[in-house]
Amino acid sequence: MGFIKEFKEFAMKGNVMDMAVGVIIGGAFGKIVTSLVDDVLMPFIGMLTGGIDLSGLEYKMMLPAVDGGEPIAGATLKYGAFIQNIIDFLIIAFCIFLMVKAMNKLMPKKEEPAAPAGPTQEELLTEIRDLLKKK
């Protein structure tokens, strides 16, 4: 089978197309949730915390100067941005949880087909008795 034909069969499978649609819708949904967090929830959280912006917190690490000269350039740990991203993640995860929970309530429940009923205990005992009689 040719490479292109094999790729076409792979790309046109239902699962791949479903995944592609899911990724596209997920990207759009991510923008909605990000806007909800940034534009609606974070102003309220900012009011509650007194306008604290954690993203600006950082720690500059400098290597000590050699022979009394200027300190050697170091690195900057931006731990505030990390903390802010964790808080954003928790808020976004909670919002998605609430939305999925609401969607599950709106969607009709699918009834699973009942498992075929097996023989009752009496039927099994009768069958065993009949088999023992034949021997």
Side-chain angles (χ1 to χ4, degrees):
M1 183 183 312
F3 180 77
I4 299 203
K5 185 176 180 183
E6 187 176 351
F7 177 74
K8 182 180 176 184
E9 285 181 14
F10 167 77
M12 292 302 159
K13 284 183 181 176
N15 293 344
V16 175
M17 297 304 286
D18 291 344
M19 185 180 69
V21 169
V23 167
I24 292 167
I25 291 176
F29 184 72
K31 288 181 180 181
I32 292 170
V33 172
T34 301
S35 176
L36 174 70
V37 169
D38 292 343
D39 303 329
V40 177
L41 296 177
M42 288 311 284
F44 289 117
I45 292 173
M47 285 175 25
L48 294 174
T49 60
I52 296 174
D53 182 17
L54 297 175
S55 61
L57 299 176
E58 59 184 35
Y59 178 74
K60 292 185 181 186
M61 298 182 301
M62 302 293 262
L63 295 174
V66 180
D67 295 332
E70 294 210 11
I72 301 172
T76 303
L77 291 176
K78 296 185 178 187
Y79 66 92
F82 179 69
I83 294 171
Q84 187 70 41
N85 286 331
I86 290 173
I87 292 170
D88 290 349
F89 169 77
L90 292 174
I91 293 170
I92 290 170
F94 184 69
C95 290
I96 291 174
F97 169 74
L98 292 177
M99 289 181 184
V100 168
K101 192 169 178 141
M103 291 298 293
N104 286 339
K105 284 187 177 183
L106 293 176
M107 299 295 288
K109 292 186 179 182
K110 295 179 183 176
E111 292 190 26
E112 295 183 22
T120 64
Q121 188 174 5
E122 289 79 18
E123 292 172 339
L124 288 173
L125 289 172
T126 304
E127 189 177 330
I128 292 171
R129 183 195 64 207
D130 294 342
L131 287 172
L132 288 173
K133 280 184 182 178
K134 287 181 183 177
K135 288 187 179 184

